[in-house]
Amino acid sequence: MRNPVAMASVNIYKRKSSMKFIVAKDFTAYLEDLERMIQNFSREGSVLSTGRNEIRIFDLNGKSINVKAFKIPNAVNKIAYRFFRKSKAQRSFEYASILTQKGIGTPLPIAYAEENRLTFGRSFYLCEHLDCELTFRDLSATDVQLLQEFTRFTFQLHEKEIEFLDHSPGNTLIRRNAEKYQFFLVDLNRMNFRKMDFEARMKNFSRLTADEAILRIMAREYAILYGKPEELVFEKMQFYTHQFQEKFHRKKRLKKQLKFWKN
């Protein structure tokens, strides 16, 4: 990965137990409070979402802190995250730090924690909690200005060599600020930092929507920004969107078949 996080911006703190904390420099004074959030995660805080991962909201001197507990990985990844790969928590923290340095909206990264014994165990990512009115999922083709601004935001990501691999409907929070909108990326653990050619840029839209009217609005705006013919941009967006949709539904059908045969 290019543009690694400058470690001068963080402090490393290790407890006597197996839990490791890395805390952003501006929050080291609150280390004990942050540690307590992890220790009491299952008993305190207000639940925001559950499922594969669980997110709870905690209070830190009047500031809402978003704490995400990642699902404990399978046996293979327990080894991989312990010795060979960065965990989702670490990647989330480091990628958020890079985005912040590049001037891209994302909740302020605060800390991450990992439990390492013989193999990898629990892990947590802590960031500020943002209350936002919308996500991309809430948009329709009638939201022309918002879709244009979202497209400009995505173009800015591409220009700054940020390939957000989970650029999907729920992973961009949208907040209205006066007459403009602000965009904040969340669920950050899958990113590349590289120069993106035209094909890679178009493929990066594939997870967002299958609505051709929305694709048309985004294609028109991106074509202006990138200096390509609108029809070419639209055709490429449509091609990669159809490709993603086919793959998604194929996997869904396969899971349904496997579930049928297991029963």
Side-chain angles (χ1 to χ4, degrees):
M1 179 187 71
R2 294 162 65 184
N3 301 314
V5 176
M7 291 309 293
S9 67
V10 302
N11 279 2
I12 298 176
Y13 170 74
K14 293 184 179 180
R15 278 171 39 196
K16 291 180 180 179
S17 71
S18 58
M19 188 69 77
K20 178 183 77 174
F21 277 83
I22 293 188
V23 182
K25 188 175 181 180
D26 291 344
F27 287 87
T28 53
Y30 301 104
L31 195 146
E32 289 186 5
D33 297 307
L34 299 173
E35 182 182 29
R36 195 156 41 245
M37 293 176 193
I38 302 303
Q39 291 175 332
N40 302 326
F41 181 82
S42 61
R43 300 187 301 275
E44 297 180 3
S46 58
V47 177
L48 180 65
S49 66
T50 58
R52 181 177 179 81
N53 307 306
E54 182 173 345
I55 299 175
R56 290 180 178 244
I57 308 301
F58 290 80
D59 178 78
L60 181 68
N61 285 359
K63 179 187 283 290
S64 293
I65 305 299
N66 184 303
V67 182
K68 183 175 187 178
F70 291 93
K71 180 183 177 182
I72 295 176
N74 60 35
V76 173
N77 281 333
K78 279 185 177 183
I79 302 297
Y81 291 151
R82 178 68 177 89
F83 298 106
F84 306 111
R85 293 177 58 199
K86 293 181 179 181
S87 70
K88 291 182 179 181
Q90 180 177 355
R91 280 179 276 149
S92 296
F93 178 82
E94 292 188 353
Y95 294 169
S97 299
I98 293 172
L99 292 180
T100 300
Q101 291 168 6
K102 287 176 173 283
I104 298 298
T106 193
L108 183 68
I110 295 172
Y112 76 90
E114 296 175 345
E115 187 177 52
N116 290 305
R117 291 191 172 89
L118 292 177
T119 60
F120 188 88
R122 298 178 302 157
S123 61
F124 302 85
Y125 172 56
L126 294 77
C127 64
E128 70 172 330
H129 178 70
L130 294 180
D131 288 315
C132 291
E133 297 90 346
L134 300 166
T135 66
F136 186 90
R137 185 177 286 115
D138 301 306
L139 307 185
S140 70
T142 61
D143 300 306
V144 176
Q145 180 190 345
L146 216 168
L147 288 168
Q148 289 171 333
E149 290 193 31
F150 175 83
T151 305
R152 289 195 287 271
F153 172 71
T154 301
F155 179 76
Q156 186 183 23
L157 294 181
H158 297 165
E159 289 293 286
K160 293 186 176 185
E161 301 187 2
I162 299 166
E163 184 179 24
F164 184 29
L165 298 175
D166 284 324
H167 200 31
S168 53
N171 287 344
T172 300
L173 307 181
I174 304 171
R175 176 188 284 176
R176 188 177 181 86
N177 182 20
E179 295 303 312
K180 299 195 75 176
Y181 293 93
Q182 292 177 293
F183 302 92
F184 303 88
L185 299 184
V186 296
D187 202 1
L188 305 179
N189 63 84
R190 295 201 323 124
M191 285 192 172
N192 289 324
F193 297 91
R194 67 185 182 100
K195 189 174 181 64
M196 298 172 67
D197 62 17
F198 178 61
E199 296 292 330
R201 290 169 181 242
M202 296 299 96
K203 190 174 183 179
N204 200 217
F205 283 89
S206 65
R207 292 171 172 261
L208 288 166
T209 181
D211 187 321
E212 292 194 359
I214 292 178
L215 287 177
R216 175 63 74 178
I217 293 168
M218 294 194 297
R220 184 178 301 120
E221 186 67 21
Y222 204 97
I224 293 169
L225 296 167
Y226 198 58
K228 289 277 189 182
E230 179 185 331
E231 280 305 315
L232 175 62
V233 174
F234 177 70
E235 287 172 9
K236 287 293 184 179
M237 277 190 188
Q238 195 176 47
F239 170 78
Y240 285 115
T241 297
H242 287 170
Q243 189 180 74
F244 172 77
Q245 290 291 325
E246 287 175 6
K247 183 179 179 181
F248 174 80
H249 290 296
R250 187 164 60 247
K251 286 176 68 175
K252 202 170 180 180
R253 287 193 300 270
L254 181 59
K255 285 182 179 179
K256 191 174 181 180
Q257 290 170 358
L258 289 172
K259 188 175 179 181
F260 172 81
W261 289 110
K262 282 182 180 179
N263 293 335

